[in-house]
């Protein structure tokens, strides 16, 4: 049996004679801790957690197109009135030139609302970023048009990670979610790409699976993981569904989760600290009752409430560029769309902070207004829209009950509550 080391990377810092914390240069560079940087500290029982500065850009999401060859029941496009278009070469050149001027250069992720491979230039743009910038590049696809030719082009372009959306493990279940797609075709495409990648311990692109969990398909998750092993998947990212239509509300798996105090850290709640243990037929009933016992839960030292009121897009230092060149803080804010929260439609109006044809990426990223926005998300307490049931203010992202009237307000954002996540 081969034993793999799971020891995390450890770095040591020193405190000098003036009481200043001296970090290793590699750590400081990795997390954007440049001289003059301002960082937020969170105190734990026996640790201090340091967040990366809001000035540190790590990843850019690029949306080549909002066009797609499928009609998935989970898609935002089922509840919006937005133009369908494709990114121009001029817009991409503005992005590429902007990336060249940044230090450090962030990684790039091709994805958004549409199918990235539905744009004829996407693979060429991947190749140019890898050749001219050398940074990590990811792409997400529905896998339907991952032909042998496109697979070879993606491999030759140097793509680092290919994410594929798989929301069902049987042809019938898959077709029930991804209308217009055939699971056997997609699996054949992925297995072919897996064999085409070449030898070595770390062939590229690595393969990841993105799974949207719903009542109709949650029992397929173990089968999805087994399927992933057949074509060498290294990553599995599971998210809940954000219902874009009234009917999709019935498929949610988090109705109780939004109000469960197990996920709400508070000094007045009793605390339940659980160790690692087997999850099996002997433990599942007791653990389910413990999770819902009215305590704030920690598992093996990790508090379940850590994902509440946190914008992971800001925390991880990302921003998004729509096919129009408009820049947004996150990809959910690239387009105005409707979803359902507590049985009522909620309109999330798009939030644009600049356009790459008018300003460089660095100018947009470091603009005073955008910096102030990110600092607000770092510091302010999110309105309890997901917890309290939702008043009229929760029906849009324009203002909230805490007096935040500088749009967008994020109290109803399911990403900020750890319910929905992106790979």
């Amino acid at each position: 049996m081969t034993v793999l080391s799971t020891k995390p990377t450890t770095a040591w810092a020193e405190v000098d004679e003036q009481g200043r914390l001296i970090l290793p240069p590699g750590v400081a560079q990795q997390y954007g801790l440049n001289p003059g940087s301002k960082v937020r500290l969170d105190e734990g029982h026996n640790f201090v957690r340091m967040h990366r500065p809001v000035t540190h850009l790590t990843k850019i999401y690029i949306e080549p197109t909002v066009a797609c060859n499928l009609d998935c029941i989970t898609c935002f496009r089922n509840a919006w009135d937005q133009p369908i278009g494709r990114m121009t070469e001029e817009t991409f050149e503005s992005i590429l030139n902007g990336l060249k001027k940044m230090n450090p250069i962030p990684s790039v992720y091709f994805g958004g609302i549409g199918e990235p491979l539905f744009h004829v230039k996407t693979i060429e743009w991947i190749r140019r970023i890898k050749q001219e910038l050398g940074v990590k590049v990811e792409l997400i696809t529905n896998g339907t048009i991952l032909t042998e030719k496109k697979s070879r082009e993606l491999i030759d372009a140097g793509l680092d990670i290919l994410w594929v959306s798989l929301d069902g493990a049987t042809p019938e279940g898959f077709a029930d979610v991804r209308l217009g797609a055939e699971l056997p075709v997609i699996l054949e495409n992925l297995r072919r790409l897996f064999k085409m990648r070449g030898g070595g311990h770390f062939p590229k692109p690595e393969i990841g699976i993105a799974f949207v969990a719903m009542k109709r398909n949650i029992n397929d998750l173990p089968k999805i993981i087994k399927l992933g092993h057949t074509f060498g998947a290294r990553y599995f990212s599971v998210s809940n569904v954000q219902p874009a239509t009234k009917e999709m509300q019935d498929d949610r798996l988090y109705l109780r989760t939004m109000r469960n105090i197990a996920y709400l850290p508070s000094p007045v709640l009793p605390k339940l600290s659980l160790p690692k243990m087997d999850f099996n037929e002997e433990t599942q009933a007791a653990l389910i009752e413990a999770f819902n016992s009215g305590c704030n839960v920690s598992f093996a030292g990790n508090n379940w409430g850590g994902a509440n009121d946190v914008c992971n897009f800001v925390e991880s230092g990302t921003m998004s560029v729509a096919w129009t060149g408009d820049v947004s803080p996150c990809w959910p804010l690239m387009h105005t769309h409707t979803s359902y929260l507590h049985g009522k439609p909620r309109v999330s109006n798009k939030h644009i902070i600049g356009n790459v044809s008018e300003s460089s990426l660095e100018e947009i990223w470091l603009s005073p207004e955008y910096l102030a926005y990110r600092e607000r998300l770092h510091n302010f307490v999110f309105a309890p829209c997901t917890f309290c049931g939702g008043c009229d203010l929760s029906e849009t992202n324009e203002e909230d009950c805490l007096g935040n009237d500088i749009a967008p307000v994020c109290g109803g954002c399911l990403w900020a509550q750890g319910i929905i996540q992106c790979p």
Side-chain angles (χ1 to χ4, degrees), residues 40-44 47-51 315 378:
R40 170 185 159 197
L41 302 178
D42 289 340
E43 296 184 27
F47 65 87
V48 174
R49 185 174 64 176
M50 180 165 41
H51 299 249
E315 290 282 328
H378 254 294

Side-chain angles (χ1 to χ4, degrees), residues 368-386:
E369 296 82 4
Y370 190 20
L371 278 171
Y373 169 79
R374 299 199 300 274
E375 288 178 349
R376 283 202 309 276
L377 287 180
H378 254 294
N379 298 321
F380 88 97
V381 177
F382 286 61
C385 301
T386 58

Side-chain angles (χ1 to χ4, degrees), residues 11 23-33:
L23 297 174
V27 172
Q29 181 182 19
Q30 180 181 356
Y31 294 100
L33 300 170

Side-chain angles (χ1 to χ4, degrees), residues 306-341:
N308 287 69
D309 295 350
V310 175
C311 177
N312 285 319
F313 294 100
V314 169
E315 290 282 328
S316 58
T318 75
M319 68 178 178
S320 303
V321 186
W323 66 272
T324 56
D326 287 335
V327 179
S328 297
C330 59
W331 76 257
L333 289 176
M334 288 194 295
H335 307 284
T336 298
H337 62 277
T338 300
S339 59
Y340 278 77
L341 181 67

Side-chain angles (χ1 to χ4, degrees), residues 87-233:
M87 182 174 287
T88 65
E89 293 191 63
E90 291 77 16
T91 297
F92 175 75
E93 291 296 335
S94 296
I95 297 172
L96 183 61
N97 291 332
L99 288 169
K100 289 178 180 178
K101 297 175 183 177
M102 304 199 76
N103 185 22
I105 300 173
S107 67
V108 175
Y109 182 109
F110 283 93
I113 301 300
E115 165 57 45
L117 292 180
F118 218 44
H119 195 303
V120 296
K121 291 290 184 178
T122 296
I123 298 179
E124 178 185 332
W125 292 345
I126 293 171
R127 177 183 56 79
R128 291 192 60 193
I129 290 173
K130 291 299 297 184
Q131 288 181 350
E132 299 179 34
L133 305 179
V135 297
K136 177 182 177 181
V137 180
E138 303 173 68
L139 176 140
I140 189 166
T141 177
N142 59 37
T144 57
I145 51 178
L146 193 63
T147 61
E148 182 174 357
K149 180 175 182 292
K150 287 189 182 296
S151 294
R152 172 51 57 195
E153 290 174 345
L154 286 170
I155 294 169
D156 293 344
L159 180 68
D160 293 286
I161 301 179
L162 175 73
W163 290 95
V164 60
S165 297
L166 291 181
D167 297 327
T170 65
E172 299 78 17
F174 185 84
D176 185 44
V177 177
R178 298 197 161 262
L179 308 183
E182 297 180 5
L183 181 62
V185 173
I186 294 171
L187 294 179
E188 180 183 352
N189 292 344
L190 289 169
R191 289 170 181 145
R192 180 177 58 230
L193 180 141
F194 172 64
K195 295 176 181 178
M196 292 172 62
R197 293 183 306 172
H201 292 293
F202 305 102
K204 296 292 182 69
E206 296 180 307
I207 298 173
I209 294 177
F211 178 83
V212 178
M214 296 167 278
K215 288 181 181 178
R216 71 177 68 200
N217 70 353
I218 186 60
N219 290 327
D220 277 1
L221 180 56
K223 301 173 187 176
I224 286 286
I225 296 172
K226 290 180 181 179
L227 276 176
H229 293 327
T230 68
F231 49 81

Side-chain angles (χ1 to χ4, degrees), residues 279-391:
F279 285 85
N280 54 31
E281 293 180 357
E282 295 175 336
T283 63
Q284 64 181 1
L287 288 173
I288 289 172
E289 285 197 42
F291 297 155
N292 294 296
S293 62
C295 296
N296 169 236
V297 176
S298 290
F299 178 76
N302 296 296
N303 189 274
W304 284 16
N308 287 69
D309 295 350
V310 175
C311 177
N312 285 319
F313 294 100
V314 169
E315 290 282 328
S316 58
T318 75
M319 68 178 178
S320 303
V321 186
W323 66 272
T324 56
D326 287 335
V327 179
S328 297
C330 59
W331 76 257
L333 289 176
M334 288 194 295
H335 307 284
T336 298
H337 62 277
T338 300
S339 59
Y340 278 77
L341 181 67
H342 298 303
K344 298 187 297 184
R346 172 180 168 85
V347 178
S348 294
N349 294 293
K350 66 181 179 181
H351 184 62
I352 307 302
I353 53 180
N355 189 287
V356 296
S357 64
E358 301 169 357
S359 304
S360 71
L361 287 173
E362 187 171 39
E363 289 171 341
I364 295 171
W365 177 249
L366 296 178
S367 66
E369 296 82 4
Y370 190 20
L371 278 171
Y373 169 79
R374 299 199 300 274
E375 288 178 349
R376 283 202 309 276
L377 287 180
H378 254 294
N379 298 321
F380 88 97
V381 177
F382 286 61
C385 301
T386 58
F387 182 79
C388 78
C391 63

